[in-house]
Amino acid sequence: METRRLQSFIKIVDTGSITRAADALNIAQPALSQQLAALEVHFRQQLLIRGPQGVTLTEAGRTLYRHAQVILRQLDQAYSDVSVSRYTVSGKVSIGVAPYSSGMRLSVPLLKAVRSELPGVRLHIVDSFGQAYSELVINGRLDLAVIHGAGPIKGARFKPIMTERFCLISPATSGWQQGEPVSVEQLADIPMLLPPIYNFVRRAVELAFTRNGTPLNLIAEVESLITLAQSVNEGIAATILPAAFARDMQLNDQTTVNPIVAPTIEETLSICTPDNNPLSEPAEAVRQILEKLTCRLSESLDQEQTDIIGKHAD
């Protein structure tokens, strides 16, 4: 039985007239009369007695009116509970964000969005070095992660969100003009500071140098982004990082940023989730928010990378 018929029945009783109820519901009187007739057929009882002064409830009609009020009130409560159910999601969600990636820009917007939309969820954001984030996702220590790479890795699912192009960030004493394209071959013997070997940025850089047959002059491994930025600003050495990420390093006027060409160095940034076990309800809710944020991030970073790489991209 449709709730619409119960609502119409209640309106007839409340207004005391089929004509007034039809006006209130903004439907034709014959249509409303048909709904009433359908209810009486369904219950096999006369529900209303029509008279010159309006309608009068029968005993059966009085019983239905009482139950209909309860039914519709419970239905309204159900709609209300469902509509706000996202706010009742609660629990802890651990997410890893790859250091030296543009994904680090997601941390603060994600905190704000989860606080606003999922106040019952407590985030644990990891953005330091250590064990590979994909392994932490697979073994359940992280619910999901934003990492470099696109798999395949057994036990993990990857959803690519953008491609990061790398660039050279170096002291002005290196001799290149701001924005001037440089090749990997030109970077031979240039003192470099890079993340540890287990970081995807480091792996992508080493792979490019190896394939090009160019020696990499690595003078130190640096885990701290602050230390790396300060070292480049102080003229100690150069580094290679995602192009758009260079905007976040607070570089001084004595530092240049140059697109790397012939070959370009790039890496895919993906959202990594477990392949075998479904996400918990709060983790799934956070993942959905994260995907929305990554779409916005990708659009803004595309423009930033274009500004840095410019016409020199091949």
Side-chain angles (χ1 to χ4, degrees):
M1 180 179 57
E2 298 180 4
T3 57
R4 179 168 54 86
R5 293 176 182 172
L6 288 179
Q7 291 169 337
S8 297
F9 174 69
I10 289 175
K11 183 61 69 174
I12 293 172
V13 175
D14 289 344
T15 60
S17 163
I18 293 179
T19 300
R20 288 193 291 270
D23 291 339
L25 294 170
N26 196 28
I27 62 176
Q29 182 176 331
L32 187 57
S33 296
Q34 288 178 1
Q35 291 185 28
L36 176 59
L39 275 178
E40 292 180 329
V41 169
H42 179 82
F43 286 103
R44 300 179 182 178
Q45 295 276 356
Q46 183 178 1
L47 301 174
L48 297 173
I49 299 174
R50 305 188 192 191
Q53 303 303 319
V55 296
T56 303
L57 283 168
T58 64
E59 190 60 31
R62 189 172 291 107
T63 300
L64 177 60
Y65 180 82
R66 185 176 65 252
H67 283 292
Q69 295 277 19
V70 174
I71 291 170
L72 293 179
R73 188 163 54 248
Q74 290 178 336
L75 187 59
D76 286 342
Q77 185 62 49
Y79 283 138
S80 177
D81 290 346
V82 170
S83 67
V84 301
S85 62
R86 65 190 180 105
Y87 295 106
T88 62
V89 174
S90 62
K92 181 180 178 181
V93 177
S94 297
I95 176 171
V97 181
Y100 294 110
S101 79
S102 298
M104 294 184 70
R105 289 191 183 182
L106 292 168
S107 297
V108 173
L110 182 62
L111 282 170
K112 290 181 178 179
V114 170
R115 181 178 175 81
S116 172
E117 300 179 37
L118 303 168
V121 171
R122 179 161 53 92
L123 279 182
H124 175 207
I125 298 179
V126 181
D127 60 4
S128 58
F129 286 107
Q131 188 175 354
Y133 285 171
S134 58
E135 294 180 14
L136 297 179
V137 169
I138 292 171
N139 63 32
R141 292 179 59 189
L142 287 177
D143 291 297
L144 62 160
V146 179
I147 62 176
H148 283 119
I153 296 178
K154 185 177 181 180
R157 180 183 293 111
F158 290 79
K159 182 173 182 177
I161 55 178
M162 64 176 296
T163 299
E164 293 192 307
R165 297 284 295 273
F166 291 15
C167 66
L168 174 71
I169 306 172
S170 61
T173 53
S174 299
W176 286 288
Q177 296 295 318
Q178 190 75 249
E180 176 187 358
V182 298
S183 67
V184 170
E185 187 175 357
Q186 290 177 282
L187 301 181
D189 300 324
I190 299 296
M192 289 284 179
L193 302 172
L194 291 173
I197 188 60
Y198 49 74
N199 181 267
F200 266 84
V201 170
R202 167 75 173 276
R203 295 180 187 178
V205 171
E206 287 202 347
L207 181 61
F209 274 70
T210 299
R211 287 179 173 176
N212 197 64
T214 300
L216 176 63
N217 182 16
L218 182 64
I219 65 168
E221 296 179 336
V222 180
E223 293 194 15
S224 168
L225 178 62
I226 295 176
T227 300
L228 182 63
Q230 290 177 344
S231 299
V232 176
N233 282 335
E234 291 293 327
I236 296 175
T239 190
I240 297 176
L241 291 176
F245 195 64
R247 296 287 180 88
D248 299 331
M249 291 185 62
Q250 297 182 345
L251 303 173
N252 61 30
D253 294 337
Q254 301 303 311
T255 304
T256 60
V257 179
N258 302 88
I260 299 175
V261 298
T264 57
I265 305 176
E266 60 186 29
E267 187 58 80
T268 300
L269 195 65
S270 302
I271 295 178
C272 177
T273 54
D275 189 29
N276 299 323
N277 300 317
L279 293 175
S280 65
E281 184 179 8
E284 174 59 25
V286 170
R287 185 196 64 79
Q288 292 178 15
I289 293 176
L290 183 63
E291 286 201 3
K292 294 178 183 177
L293 293 176
T294 56
C295 289
R296 300 172 194 167
L297 175 69
S298 179
E299 291 174 359
S300 64
L301 291 186
D302 281 346
Q303 183 57 53
E304 290 186 22
Q305 290 189 152
T306 300
D307 292 343
I308 293 174
I309 303 299
K311 63 182 180 180
H312 306 298
D314 50 33

